[in-house]
Structure formats: structure tokens, C-alpha cells
Amino acid sequence: GRNRTEAPIFFNGIPESVSTRWPSAYICDLQRNFTTTGGMEAHGGLVGFQWKPYYNEFNNENSLQGFRDLGSDLSSSKSSPHGPIRVIWQTRNPIDRKLSNMRHKKSSITLSPHCAVDDEACIQKHEESSSEKMEFVTGNDLLHWLKTDKKHYEMVTKRFDSMNISYVHVSYDVLYVSENDEDGVNEWKKIFDFLGRGPGTGEELTMEEVRRNFGMAKTSSKTHEDIMANYDDVKATLEGTEFAHYLN
């Protein structure tokens, strides 16, 4: 499901005939569809889907079956019908994630989640929506929310490890918005090395090359101080805590 509302609909709607192996079945369908349309070659022979592990459906039986399938010997084997399934677990600075969600809810115009690099109209809408500062949560409410987010992170990690799922954890912030190109390159190489694709050991990779292949545009370059109307209050709440580094 794309959001918390759609997640229950998705999991409860999985046909019983594929409920114990729906990730594998989904990958096979994607492979057949892309092969039929000639898309597999264009995508480097890789296909995949996004799964957001919302808490409200994390322990749904079909969700659990999906995790079991991803951790099964068949799913991780090169000899499986669809080839090995690899999980790339991408997380984002929770403050940036919440600010993005707030901006979409607050906007008086309909904003698409992302903009294609050549979609000037979409990019303009995002820029207009970020012109006004927003009040961010502070005090105990902010600390409670960040602690809950940390627990969710730990819960996902525990699920992956307990079910023997092959995964690599990467940071959205380092991949896409880091000002340190060396860190960015190393984060992308983690993915390529994990998949066994892309530039190998000793081959040069630059963030300039990576950015040239971005399909989506960067729609926000402002600091938290530029976005938050109550930045000083947020900073005061986080100072001296384990979450202080989230604020830029």
C-alpha cells in the first residue's frame, strides 16, 4: 500500500492462492510484463517494488507471509524461477520525512509525491508550496514521536534478521542530498555491491554520473531553519538528546 489507508486494503486483498509467496509471485509478474514490453533490458535486468512497512499492517498475516517468503531459501537462491530477491531498505531523516508529509497536507494545491527532472510545472508547484514556513512539533510530543520512530526502525531490523532476509540498509539523505560526494558514492556502491551490478571494485563512480541518471528532481534545498517557523524551539527540544543530529 502507498499509505496507511491503502496498506490494509492491499494485504487483505492478496489472493489466497499466492498468499504464502506473494513477493515472489509479484516479482515473477513484473519480470514477465517487462520482458514482454522490452523493459527488462532498459532497466538493466532488474525489477522490483516498494514496500513501506507501516506499523498498522506489520503483523498482518499476509505481511508475515511476505517476510517469510523473502527469507526462504527459494527466494534467496540464484536457481529460483525469478532469480534471487534482494531487499534494499532505505530510511530517511525522520524530521525531513515529516516535513515533507506536512507540506503535502498543508498545500492548497495538489502535489505529486515526486517530480520528473524535466517536469517544470511540477517543480514550480513544489517550490510555491514551500514558500511559507511551518510550525513543527516540539517538546515531549517531538521526543515521543522520535522515540517511536526509533522503535519502528529496530522492529524492522529485528524482523529482517529473525527471518533470515538478505538486505542492505542505506540512507536516502546520503544517496540523494548529501553535500559530501564521497559519502554519496560509497552509499550507492553499497547497493551495487549488494546486487552484484554496476561498477565493480576499482571502477570509478562519481556523484555527477549518478545524478545524471536521476529520474526524479530535487524539490527542496532549504535548511530546517528556513522551513520551520519555530526552529529555535525545535532546536532547544533536541539539544543534548540522541536525536540532535537530525536537525540541520
Side-chain angles (χ1 to χ4, degrees), residues 95 139-140 142-144 146-147 150 233-247:
I95 289 180
N140 289 333
L142 173 56
L143 294 176
H144 174 73
L146 287 171
K147 288 175 183 177
K150 179 184 176 182
D233 294 334
V234 176
K235 182 178 180 181
T237 296
L238 297 180
E239 280 183 339
T241 73
E242 62 181 306
F243 308 115
H245 66 283
Y246 285 145
L247 201 63

Side-chain angles (χ1 to χ4, degrees), residues 1-12 51-61 63 148 152 155 159:
R2 292 176 296 179
N3 52 53
R4 286 176 175 80
T5 302
E6 294 184 10
I9 299 173
F10 172 81
F11 285 111
N12 292 329
W51 180 355
K52 296 182 179 181
Y54 291 118
Y55 183 80
N56 62 326
E57 290 301 316
F58 198 68
N59 291 317
N60 176 297
E61 182 55 33
S63 175
T148 301
H152 183 68
M155 181 177 67
R159 176 66 54 81

